[in-house]
Amino acid sequence: VGKPGNMTHGGQLHIEVIEARNLTVHDLIGKQDPYVKILLAGTLVGQTKVHESGGTEPVWKETIATEISKDPTSSKLILAVWESDFDSDDDFIGQSEIDLSHVMCTGIHEQWLPIQDSKNCPAGEVHIKLRFKGKGNWKPSAAPGKTKGSAQVRVMSAKQLVKKDEMGKQDPYVKVMIAGRFIGQTKVHVEGGTDPSWHEEFEGDIDPDQKIILEVWESDMLSEDDLIGIVTLFPGKELKNGVHKGTFQVVTEKKEPVGQLSLVTNYTPVGVVAQQMPKLVAPPDVGKRVALASRSDCLSIFGTAFDQMFGMCATPRK
């Protein structure tokens, strides 16, 4: 087992920028062209190619390697997402800072990172994978100094959801809150009906006395979205240590059953080396899933204009 002292040898960090989702819209004409800048200790160490017409769901699948100093935990890794503009300066979409101490010890870390814009408003998520190889006699170990455990939640599918849409099939999606923080939400499964599927993953830090809440919603383009029900997970109870597959009851606020939610969870307490999640496979009818922003482009455009005019966060849809 590696020791914390092994981190002081430094090493090489490989940063794989895979994709993004639910990016805020900055190009009012056509689809935007996003790319990612990577900064270490304030210095630009690389950037991805521009995904032309990548819109709110760009894909890069690019890896950038950089050397880490002897004291990498004092340096911040920043991923900044930009929108390439041919006729003017590029637009800043949002960024996220990453604590390197975890990957410096475990050797590998994969996560959907929530990003925020210059006004600290949610601006989407970026999927990254970090790999670290230390120098000398470095070996993977549990990250020292962590005060919280971590949880990965893979939202797979639902069954027998109560129908909320009076006309046609409903369009369900799931919001994920970990330890009281909104982490993100799945895409909408258009006409997913009572048995939708998503195959999307979320991650966050959590204490043993905190909880994970998953809210299942029905997307409505003409009015406010409808809450179908919730699933609550507690570490050590519903959220077991390590990787587990399970089906959980979706209930209303009155604890009435309204369906079932299938999940893959991976809870890692403090001081324990994380298990690897199985490979994520896309659902067979992936084309039926759209980000909420994609279904409400007009709202996104007006929201962006409102934000620029008044310096405020545009009001998100429920």
Side-chain angles (χ1 to χ4, degrees), residues 40-77:
L40 181 63
T43 300
L44 181 68
V45 295
Q47 68 182 50
T48 67
K49 296 177 181 178
V50 174
H51 184 168
E52 296 183 4
S53 298
T56 60
E57 314 286 321
V59 176
W60 297 286
K61 294 184 179 179
E62 294 185 42
T63 300
I64 294 168
T66 183
E67 290 292 325
I68 301 273
S69 67
K70 291 185 177 181
D71 187 17
T73 56
S74 65
S75 301
K76 292 180 179 179
L77 182 69

PDB file of all heavy atoms in Angstrom, residues 40-77:
ATOM      1  N   LEU A  40      -3.066  24.458 -14.978  1.00  0.00           N
ATOM      2  CA  LEU A  40      -2.486  23.905 -13.761  1.00  0.00           C
ATOM      3  C   LEU A  40      -1.674  24.991 -13.085  1.00  0.00           C
ATOM      4  O   LEU A  40      -0.757  25.559 -13.699  1.00  0.00           O
ATOM      5  CB  LEU A  40      -1.608  22.694 -14.073  1.00  0.00           C
ATOM      6  CG  LEU A  40      -0.958  21.995 -12.881  1.00  0.00           C
ATOM      7  CD1 LEU A  40      -2.013  21.413 -11.952  1.00  0.00           C
ATOM      8  CD2 LEU A  40      -0.015  20.899 -13.354  1.00  0.00           C
ATOM      9  N   ALA A  41      -2.041  25.302 -11.840  1.00  0.00           N
ATOM     10  CA  ALA A  41      -1.376  26.376 -11.093  1.00  0.00           C
ATOM     11  C   ALA A  41      -1.396  27.680 -11.881  1.00  0.00           C
ATOM     12  O   ALA A  41      -0.430  28.445 -11.876  1.00  0.00           O
ATOM     13  CB  ALA A  41       0.056  25.987 -10.741  1.00  0.00           C
ATOM     14  N   GLY A  42      -2.496  27.930 -12.603  1.00  0.00           N
ATOM     15  CA  GLY A  42      -2.655  29.176 -13.335  1.00  0.00           C
ATOM     16  C   GLY A  42      -2.000  29.204 -14.703  1.00  0.00           C
ATOM     17  O   GLY A  42      -2.114  30.197 -15.430  1.00  0.00           O
ATOM     18  N   THR A  43      -1.330  28.111 -15.079  1.00  0.00           N
ATOM     19  CA  THR A  43      -0.635  28.052 -16.362  1.00  0.00           C
ATOM     20  C   THR A  43      -1.394  27.141 -17.328  1.00  0.00           C
ATOM     21  O   THR A  43      -1.776  26.027 -16.966  1.00  0.00           O
ATOM     22  CB  THR A  43       0.799  27.521 -16.189  1.00  0.00           C
ATOM     23  OG1 THR A  43       1.515  28.382 -15.308  1.00  0.00           O
ATOM     24  CG2 THR A  43       1.528  27.466 -17.536  1.00  0.00           C
ATOM     25  N   LEU A  44      -1.598  27.615 -18.553  1.00  0.00           N
ATOM     26  CA  LEU A  44      -2.271  26.808 -19.562  1.00  0.00           C
ATOM     27  C   LEU A  44      -1.368  25.648 -19.975  1.00  0.00           C
ATOM     28  O   LEU A  44      -0.253  25.849 -20.439  1.00  0.00           O
ATOM     29  CB  LEU A  44      -2.613  27.670 -20.782  1.00  0.00           C
ATOM     30  CG  LEU A  44      -3.355  26.956 -21.927  1.00  0.00           C
ATOM     31  CD1 LEU A  44      -4.765  26.582 -21.494  1.00  0.00           C
ATOM     32  CD2 LEU A  44      -3.400  27.843 -23.173  1.00  0.00           C
ATOM     33  N   VAL A  45      -1.868  24.416 -19.810  1.00  0.00           N
ATOM     34  CA  VAL A  45      -1.072  23.240 -20.168  1.00  0.00           C
ATOM     35  C   VAL A  45      -1.624  22.543 -21.409  1.00  0.00           C
ATOM     36  O   VAL A  45      -1.008  21.609 -21.925  1.00  0.00           O
ATOM     37  CB  VAL A  45      -0.993  22.239 -18.994  1.00  0.00           C
ATOM     38  CG1 VAL A  45      -0.246  22.845 -17.823  1.00  0.00           C
ATOM     39  CG2 VAL A  45      -2.380  21.776 -18.570  1.00  0.00           C
ATOM     40  N   GLY A  46      -2.783  22.995 -21.900  1.00  0.00           N
ATOM     41  CA  GLY A  46      -3.330  22.424 -23.116  1.00  0.00           C
ATOM     42  C   GLY A  46      -4.798  22.765 -23.284  1.00  0.00           C
ATOM     43  O   GLY A  46      -5.433  23.337 -22.396  1.00  0.00           O
ATOM     44  N   GLN A  47      -5.318  22.447 -24.453  1.00  0.00           N
ATOM     45  CA  GLN A  47      -6.744  22.631 -24.696  1.00  0.00           C
ATOM     46  C   GLN A  47      -7.209  21.648 -25.763  1.00  0.00           C
ATOM     47  O   GLN A  47      -6.423  21.172 -26.586  1.00  0.00           O
ATOM     48  CB  GLN A  47      -7.056  24.073 -25.111  1.00  0.00           C
ATOM     49  CG  GLN A  47      -6.526  24.493 -26.457  1.00  0.00           C
ATOM     50  CD  GLN A  47      -6.849  25.960 -26.745  1.00  0.00           C
ATOM     51  OE1 GLN A  47      -6.594  26.839 -25.918  1.00  0.00           O
ATOM     52  NE2 GLN A  47      -7.390  26.221 -27.925  1.00  0.00           N
ATOM     53  N   THR A  48      -8.487  21.344 -25.732  1.00  0.00           N
ATOM     54  CA  THR A  48      -9.052  20.423 -26.710  1.00  0.00           C
ATOM     55  C   THR A  48      -9.255  21.132 -28.045  1.00  0.00           C
ATOM     56  O   THR A  48      -9.159  22.354 -28.140  1.00  0.00           O
ATOM     57  CB  THR A  48     -10.410  19.887 -26.236  1.00  0.00           C
ATOM     58  OG1 THR A  48     -11.354  20.965 -26.224  1.00  0.00           O
ATOM     59  CG2 THR A  48     -10.308  19.279 -24.849  1.00  0.00           C
ATOM     60  N   LYS A  49      -9.580  20.353 -29.048  1.00  0.00           N
ATOM     61  CA  LYS A  49     -10.015  20.927 -30.309  1.00  0.00           C
ATOM     62  C   LYS A  49     -11.418  21.494 -30.136  1.00  0.00           C
ATOM     63  O   LYS A  49     -12.148  21.126 -29.211  1.00  0.00           O
ATOM     64  CB  LYS A  49     -10.009  19.864 -31.410  1.00  0.00           C
ATOM     65  CG  LYS A  49      -8.625  19.301 -31.725  1.00  0.00           C
ATOM     66  CD  LYS A  49      -8.726  18.201 -32.776  1.00  0.00           C
ATOM     67  CE  LYS A  49      -7.356  17.609 -33.071  1.00  0.00           C
ATOM     68  NZ  LYS A  49      -7.426  16.497 -34.048  1.00  0.00           N
ATOM     69  N   VAL A  50     -11.793  22.367 -31.042  1.00  0.00           N
ATOM     70  CA  VAL A  50     -13.147  22.902 -31.033  1.00  0.00           C
ATOM     71  C   VAL A  50     -14.097  21.861 -31.618  1.00  0.00           C
ATOM     72  O   VAL A  50     -13.827  21.304 -32.683  1.00  0.00           O
ATOM     73  CB  VAL A  50     -13.229  24.214 -31.843  1.00  0.00           C
ATOM     74  CG1 VAL A  50     -14.673  24.684 -31.964  1.00  0.00           C
ATOM     75  CG2 VAL A  50     -12.355  25.289 -31.220  1.00  0.00           C
ATOM     76  N   HIS A  51     -15.186  21.578 -30.905  1.00  0.00           N
ATOM     77  CA  HIS A  51     -16.212  20.706 -31.468  1.00  0.00           C
ATOM     78  C   HIS A  51     -17.203  21.599 -32.204  1.00  0.00           C
ATOM     79  O   HIS A  51     -18.090  22.198 -31.591  1.00  0.00           O
ATOM     80  CB  HIS A  51     -16.916  19.904 -30.385  1.00  0.00           C
ATOM     81  CG  HIS A  51     -17.916  18.920 -30.933  1.00  0.00           C
ATOM     82  ND1 HIS A  51     -18.507  17.934 -30.185  1.00  0.00           N
ATOM     83  CD2 HIS A  51     -18.430  18.768 -32.186  1.00  0.00           C
ATOM     84  CE1 HIS A  51     -19.346  17.232 -30.934  1.00  0.00           C
ATOM     85  NE2 HIS A  51     -19.325  17.731 -32.150  1.00  0.00           N
ATOM     86  N   GLU A  52     -17.032  21.693 -33.513  1.00  0.00           N
ATOM     87  CA  GLU A  52     -17.902  22.557 -34.308  1.00  0.00           C
ATOM     88  C   GLU A  52     -19.340  22.046 -34.258  1.00  0.00           C
ATOM     89  O   GLU A  52     -19.597  20.859 -34.468  1.00  0.00           O
ATOM     90  CB  GLU A  52     -17.407  22.621 -35.751  1.00  0.00           C
ATOM     91  CG  GLU A  52     -16.031  23.270 -35.879  1.00  0.00           C
ATOM     92  CD  GLU A  52     -15.585  23.401 -37.319  1.00  0.00           C
ATOM     93  OE1 GLU A  52     -16.376  23.048 -38.220  1.00  0.00           O
ATOM     94  OE2 GLU A  52     -14.438  23.852 -37.542  1.00  0.00           O
ATOM     95  N   SER A  53     -20.254  22.951 -33.959  1.00  0.00           N
ATOM     96  CA  SER A  53     -21.680  22.641 -33.812  1.00  0.00           C
ATOM     97  C   SER A  53     -21.926  21.600 -32.728  1.00  0.00           C
ATOM     98  O   SER A  53     -22.886  20.845 -32.777  1.00  0.00           O
ATOM     99  CB  SER A  53     -22.281  22.168 -35.150  1.00  0.00           C
ATOM    100  OG  SER A  53     -22.190  23.193 -36.129  1.00  0.00           O
ATOM    101  N   GLY A  54     -21.039  21.577 -31.724  1.00  0.00           N
ATOM    102  CA  GLY A  54     -21.217  20.645 -30.607  1.00  0.00           C
ATOM    103  C   GLY A  54     -22.397  21.019 -29.732  1.00  0.00           C
ATOM    104  O   GLY A  54     -22.922  20.176 -29.002  1.00  0.00           O
ATOM    105  N   GLY A  55     -22.805  22.289 -29.790  1.00  0.00           N
ATOM    106  CA  GLY A  55     -23.980  22.730 -29.057  1.00  0.00           C
ATOM    107  C   GLY A  55     -23.839  22.587 -27.559  1.00  0.00           C
ATOM    108  O   GLY A  55     -22.801  22.909 -26.971  1.00  0.00           O
ATOM    109  N   THR A  56     -24.885  22.072 -26.924  1.00  0.00           N
ATOM    110  CA  THR A  56     -24.883  21.900 -25.471  1.00  0.00           C
ATOM    111  C   THR A  56     -24.336  20.539 -25.043  1.00  0.00           C
ATOM    112  O   THR A  56     -24.154  20.290 -23.860  1.00  0.00           O
ATOM    113  CB  THR A  56     -26.317  22.053 -24.912  1.00  0.00           C
ATOM    114  OG1 THR A  56     -27.162  21.065 -25.501  1.00  0.00           O
ATOM    115  CG2 THR A  56     -26.878  23.430 -25.225  1.00  0.00           C
ATOM    116  N   GLU A  57     -24.053  19.651 -26.019  1.00  0.00           N
ATOM    117  CA  GLU A  57     -23.605  18.289 -25.712  1.00  0.00           C
ATOM    118  C   GLU A  57     -22.353  17.929 -26.521  1.00  0.00           C
ATOM    119  O   GLU A  57     -22.344  16.936 -27.258  1.00  0.00           O
ATOM    120  CB  GLU A  57     -24.718  17.278 -26.027  1.00  0.00           C
ATOM    121  CG  GLU A  57     -26.098  17.657 -25.515  1.00  0.00           C
ATOM    122  CD  GLU A  57     -26.225  17.481 -24.019  1.00  0.00           C
ATOM    123  OE1 GLU A  57     -25.680  16.493 -23.494  1.00  0.00           O
ATOM    124  OE2 GLU A  57     -26.875  18.321 -23.377  1.00  0.00           O
ATOM    125  N   PRO A  58     -21.273  18.702 -26.440  1.00  0.00           N
ATOM    126  CA  PRO A  58     -20.086  18.408 -27.253  1.00  0.00           C
ATOM    127  C   PRO A  58     -19.346  17.162 -26.767  1.00  0.00           C
ATOM    128  O   PRO A  58     -19.458  16.765 -25.605  1.00  0.00           O
ATOM    129  CB  PRO A  58     -19.221  19.652 -27.048  1.00  0.00           C
ATOM    130  CG  PRO A  58     -19.607  20.142 -25.685  1.00  0.00           C
ATOM    131  CD  PRO A  58     -21.079  19.869 -25.564  1.00  0.00           C
ATOM    132  N   VAL A  59     -18.592  16.561 -27.685  1.00  0.00           N
ATOM    133  CA  VAL A  59     -17.759  15.395 -27.371  1.00  0.00           C
ATOM    134  C   VAL A  59     -16.347  15.672 -27.879  1.00  0.00           C
ATOM    135  O   VAL A  59     -16.167  16.109 -29.017  1.00  0.00           O
ATOM    136  CB  VAL A  59     -18.321  14.118 -28.035  1.00  0.00           C
ATOM    137  CG1 VAL A  59     -17.404  12.935 -27.778  1.00  0.00           C
ATOM    138  CG2 VAL A  59     -19.728  13.826 -27.526  1.00  0.00           C
ATOM    139  N   TRP A  60     -15.334  15.418 -27.026  1.00  0.00           N
ATOM    140  CA  TRP A  60     -13.944  15.646 -27.438  1.00  0.00           C
ATOM    141  C   TRP A  60     -13.121  14.348 -27.415  1.00  0.00           C
ATOM    142  O   TRP A  60     -12.400  14.050 -28.353  1.00  0.00           O
ATOM    143  CB  TRP A  60     -13.300  16.678 -26.509  1.00  0.00           C
ATOM    144  CG  TRP A  60     -13.947  18.019 -26.565  1.00  0.00           C
ATOM    145  CD1 TRP A  60     -13.835  18.948 -27.572  1.00  0.00           C
ATOM    146  CD2 TRP A  60     -14.837  18.586 -25.595  1.00  0.00           C
ATOM    147  NE1 TRP A  60     -14.598  20.056 -27.273  1.00  0.00           N
ATOM    148  CE2 TRP A  60     -15.223  19.869 -26.070  1.00  0.00           C
ATOM    149  CE3 TRP A  60     -15.349  18.152 -24.379  1.00  0.00           C
ATOM    150  CZ2 TRP A  60     -16.077  20.695 -25.355  1.00  0.00           C
ATOM    151  CZ3 TRP A  60     -16.194  18.966 -23.670  1.00  0.00           C
ATOM    152  CH2 TRP A  60     -16.554  20.228 -24.158  1.00  0.00           C
ATOM    153  N   LYS A  61     -13.168  13.615 -26.325  1.00  0.00           N
ATOM    154  CA  LYS A  61     -12.391  12.381 -26.151  1.00  0.00           C
ATOM    155  C   LYS A  61     -10.916  12.625 -26.459  1.00  0.00           C
ATOM    156  O   LYS A  61     -10.290  11.913 -27.235  1.00  0.00           O
ATOM    157  CB  LYS A  61     -12.957  11.265 -27.037  1.00  0.00           C
ATOM    158  CG  LYS A  61     -14.346  10.809 -26.650  1.00  0.00           C
ATOM    159  CD  LYS A  61     -14.840   9.640 -27.491  1.00  0.00           C
ATOM    160  CE  LYS A  61     -16.232   9.193 -27.070  1.00  0.00           C
ATOM    161  NZ  LYS A  61     -16.737   8.069 -27.889  1.00  0.00           N
ATOM    162  N   GLU A  62     -10.364  13.651 -25.818  1.00  0.00           N
ATOM    163  CA  GLU A  62      -8.952  14.005 -25.999  1.00  0.00           C
ATOM    164  C   GLU A  62      -8.220  13.906 -24.671  1.00  0.00           C
ATOM    165  O   GLU A  62      -8.780  14.205 -23.610  1.00  0.00           O
ATOM    166  CB  GLU A  62      -8.831  15.422 -26.554  1.00  0.00           C
ATOM    167  CG  GLU A  62      -9.388  15.583 -27.960  1.00  0.00           C
ATOM    168  CD  GLU A  62      -9.132  16.979 -28.511  1.00  0.00           C
ATOM    169  OE1 GLU A  62      -8.027  17.501 -28.311  1.00  0.00           O
ATOM    170  OE2 GLU A  62     -10.057  17.547 -29.123  1.00  0.00           O
ATOM    171  N   THR A  63      -6.957  13.490 -24.733  1.00  0.00           N
ATOM    172  CA  THR A  63      -6.133  13.351 -23.538  1.00  0.00           C
ATOM    173  C   THR A  63      -4.932  14.285 -23.618  1.00  0.00           C
ATOM    174  O   THR A  63      -4.241  14.332 -24.638  1.00  0.00           O
ATOM    175  CB  THR A  63      -5.641  11.904 -23.367  1.00  0.00           C
ATOM    176  OG1 THR A  63      -6.768  11.036 -23.258  1.00  0.00           O
ATOM    177  CG2 THR A  63      -4.786  11.763 -22.115  1.00  0.00           C
ATOM    178  N   ILE A  64      -4.693  15.010 -22.544  1.00  0.00           N
ATOM    179  CA  ILE A  64      -3.564  15.938 -22.447  1.00  0.00           C
ATOM    180  C   ILE A  64      -2.718  15.512 -21.259  1.00  0.00           C
ATOM    181  O   ILE A  64      -3.239  15.283 -20.160  1.00  0.00           O
ATOM    182  CB  ILE A  64      -4.066  17.385 -22.276  1.00  0.00           C
ATOM    183  CG1 ILE A  64      -4.809  17.815 -23.551  1.00  0.00           C
ATOM    184  CG2 ILE A  64      -2.911  18.335 -21.976  1.00  0.00           C
ATOM    185  CD1 ILE A  64      -5.576  19.094 -23.406  1.00  0.00           C
ATOM    186  N   ALA A  65      -1.416  15.374 -21.463  1.00  0.00           N
ATOM    187  CA  ALA A  65      -0.498  14.945 -20.413  1.00  0.00           C
ATOM    188  C   ALA A  65       0.346  16.119 -19.948  1.00  0.00           C
ATOM    189  O   ALA A  65       0.748  16.977 -20.745  1.00  0.00           O
ATOM    190  CB  ALA A  65       0.398  13.823 -20.920  1.00  0.00           C
ATOM    191  N   THR A  66       0.610  16.158 -18.646  1.00  0.00           N
ATOM    192  CA  THR A  66       1.448  17.220 -18.093  1.00  0.00           C
ATOM    193  C   THR A  66       2.212  16.690 -16.891  1.00  0.00           C
ATOM    194  O   THR A  66       1.750  15.789 -16.191  1.00  0.00           O
ATOM    195  CB  THR A  66       0.599  18.437 -17.678  1.00  0.00           C
ATOM    196  OG1 THR A  66       1.462  19.488 -17.215  1.00  0.00           O
ATOM    197  CG2 THR A  66      -0.384  18.078 -16.584  1.00  0.00           C
ATOM    198  N   GLU A  67       3.384  17.244 -16.653  1.00  0.00           N
ATOM    199  CA  GLU A  67       4.174  16.868 -15.488  1.00  0.00           C
ATOM    200  C   GLU A  67       3.657  17.612 -14.259  1.00  0.00           C
ATOM    201  O   GLU A  67       3.273  18.776 -14.335  1.00  0.00           O
ATOM    202  CB  GLU A  67       5.655  17.193 -15.705  1.00  0.00           C
ATOM    203  CG  GLU A  67       6.339  16.314 -16.741  1.00  0.00           C
ATOM    204  CD  GLU A  67       6.461  14.873 -16.279  1.00  0.00           C
ATOM    205  OE1 GLU A  67       6.663  14.652 -15.055  1.00  0.00           O
ATOM    206  OE2 GLU A  67       6.346  13.967 -17.126  1.00  0.00           O
ATOM    207  N   ILE A  68       3.659  16.908 -13.117  1.00  0.00           N
ATOM    208  CA  ILE A  68       3.217  17.477 -11.854  1.00  0.00           C
ATOM    209  C   ILE A  68       4.443  17.782 -10.999  1.00  0.00           C
ATOM    210  O   ILE A  68       5.401  17.017 -10.976  1.00  0.00           O
ATOM    211  CB  ILE A  68       2.309  16.483 -11.104  1.00  0.00           C
ATOM    212  CG1 ILE A  68       1.110  16.137 -11.957  1.00  0.00           C
ATOM    213  CG2 ILE A  68       1.887  17.053  -9.776  1.00  0.00           C
ATOM    214  CD1 ILE A  68      -0.038  17.037 -11.846  1.00  0.00           C
ATOM    215  N   SER A  69       4.404  18.888 -10.261  1.00  0.00           N
ATOM    216  CA  SER A  69       5.522  19.274  -9.408  1.00  0.00           C
ATOM    217  C   SER A  69       5.610  18.372  -8.184  1.00  0.00           C
ATOM    218  O   SER A  69       4.774  17.495  -7.974  1.00  0.00           O
ATOM    219  CB  SER A  69       5.355  20.732  -8.962  1.00  0.00           C
ATOM    220  OG  SER A  69       4.237  20.843  -8.104  1.00  0.00           O
ATOM    221  N   LYS A  70       6.597  18.628  -7.339  1.00  0.00           N
ATOM    222  CA  LYS A  70       6.769  17.808  -6.135  1.00  0.00           C
ATOM    223  C   LYS A  70       5.670  18.024  -5.109  1.00  0.00           C
ATOM    224  O   LYS A  70       5.478  17.201  -4.231  1.00  0.00           O
ATOM    225  CB  LYS A  70       8.136  18.104  -5.501  1.00  0.00           C
ATOM    226  CG  LYS A  70       9.311  17.602  -6.322  1.00  0.00           C
ATOM    227  CD  LYS A  70      10.615  17.813  -5.584  1.00  0.00           C
ATOM    228  CE  LYS A  70      11.787  17.244  -6.380  1.00  0.00           C
ATOM    229  NZ  LYS A  70      13.063  17.413  -5.655  1.00  0.00           N
ATOM    230  N   ASP A  71       4.962  19.138  -5.203  1.00  0.00           N
ATOM    231  CA  ASP A  71       3.883  19.407  -4.256  1.00  0.00           C
ATOM    232  C   ASP A  71       2.604  19.707  -5.020  1.00  0.00           C
ATOM    233  O   ASP A  71       2.108  20.830  -5.009  1.00  0.00           O
ATOM    234  CB  ASP A  71       4.242  20.582  -3.348  1.00  0.00           C
ATOM    235  CG  ASP A  71       3.213  20.775  -2.230  1.00  0.00           C
ATOM    236  OD1 ASP A  71       2.439  19.827  -1.997  1.00  0.00           O
ATOM    237  OD2 ASP A  71       3.180  21.850  -1.614  1.00  0.00           O
ATOM    238  N   PRO A  72       2.048  18.721  -5.720  1.00  0.00           N
ATOM    239  CA  PRO A  72       0.904  18.951  -6.595  1.00  0.00           C
ATOM    240  C   PRO A  72      -0.371  19.325  -5.856  1.00  0.00           C
ATOM    241  O   PRO A  72      -1.255  19.951  -6.405  1.00  0.00           O
ATOM    242  CB  PRO A  72       0.747  17.624  -7.323  1.00  0.00           C
ATOM    243  CG  PRO A  72       1.311  16.627  -6.384  1.00  0.00           C
ATOM    244  CD  PRO A  72       2.445  17.312  -5.689  1.00  0.00           C
ATOM    245  N   THR A  73      -0.474  18.924  -4.571  1.00  0.00           N
ATOM    246  CA  THR A  73      -1.706  19.210  -3.850  1.00  0.00           C
ATOM    247  C   THR A  73      -1.896  20.690  -3.590  1.00  0.00           C
ATOM    248  O   THR A  73      -2.978  21.132  -3.241  1.00  0.00           O
ATOM    249  CB  THR A  73      -1.720  18.450  -2.506  1.00  0.00           C
ATOM    250  OG1 THR A  73      -0.553  18.789  -1.758  1.00  0.00           O
ATOM    251  CG2 THR A  73      -1.752  16.947  -2.744  1.00  0.00           C
ATOM    252  N   SER A  74      -0.826  21.487  -3.743  1.00  0.00           N
ATOM    253  CA  SER A  74      -0.959  22.933  -3.558  1.00  0.00           C
ATOM    254  C   SER A  74      -1.362  23.631  -4.848  1.00  0.00           C
ATOM    255  O   SER A  74      -1.581  24.837  -4.863  1.00  0.00           O
ATOM    256  CB  SER A  74       0.371  23.521  -3.053  1.00  0.00           C
ATOM    257  OG  SER A  74       1.373  23.365  -4.049  1.00  0.00           O
ATOM    258  N   SER A  75      -1.436  22.885  -5.938  1.00  0.00           N
ATOM    259  CA  SER A  75      -1.802  23.454  -7.236  1.00  0.00           C
ATOM    260  C   SER A  75      -3.231  23.077  -7.598  1.00  0.00           C
ATOM    261  O   SER A  75      -3.682  21.975  -7.312  1.00  0.00           O
ATOM    262  CB  SER A  75      -0.855  22.944  -8.331  1.00  0.00           C
ATOM    263  OG  SER A  75       0.472  23.292  -8.032  1.00  0.00           O
ATOM    264  N   LYS A  76      -3.925  23.986  -8.237  1.00  0.00           N
ATOM    265  CA  LYS A  76      -5.293  23.730  -8.669  1.00  0.00           C
ATOM    266  C   LYS A  76      -5.322  23.382 -10.152  1.00  0.00           C
ATOM    267  O   LYS A  76      -4.661  24.024 -10.960  1.00  0.00           O
ATOM    268  CB  LYS A  76      -6.160  24.955  -8.419  1.00  0.00           C
ATOM    269  CG  LYS A  76      -6.391  25.277  -6.957  1.00  0.00           C
ATOM    270  CD  LYS A  76      -7.264  26.509  -6.806  1.00  0.00           C
ATOM    271  CE  LYS A  76      -7.516  26.821  -5.336  1.00  0.00           C
ATOM    272  NZ  LYS A  76      -8.350  28.041  -5.176  1.00  0.00           N
ATOM    273  N   LEU A  77      -6.088  22.374 -10.484  1.00  0.00           N
ATOM    274  CA  LEU A  77      -6.343  22.045 -11.878  1.00  0.00           C
ATOM    275  C   LEU A  77      -7.686  22.650 -12.245  1.00  0.00           C
ATOM    276  O   LEU A  77      -8.692  22.411 -11.573  1.00  0.00           O
ATOM    277  CB  LEU A  77      -6.373  20.530 -12.082  1.00  0.00           C
ATOM    278  CG  LEU A  77      -6.594  20.057 -13.524  1.00  0.00           C
ATOM    279  CD1 LEU A  77      -5.391  20.383 -14.385  1.00  0.00           C
ATOM    280  CD2 LEU A  77      -6.883  18.557 -13.549  1.00  0.00           C
TER     281      LEU A  77
END
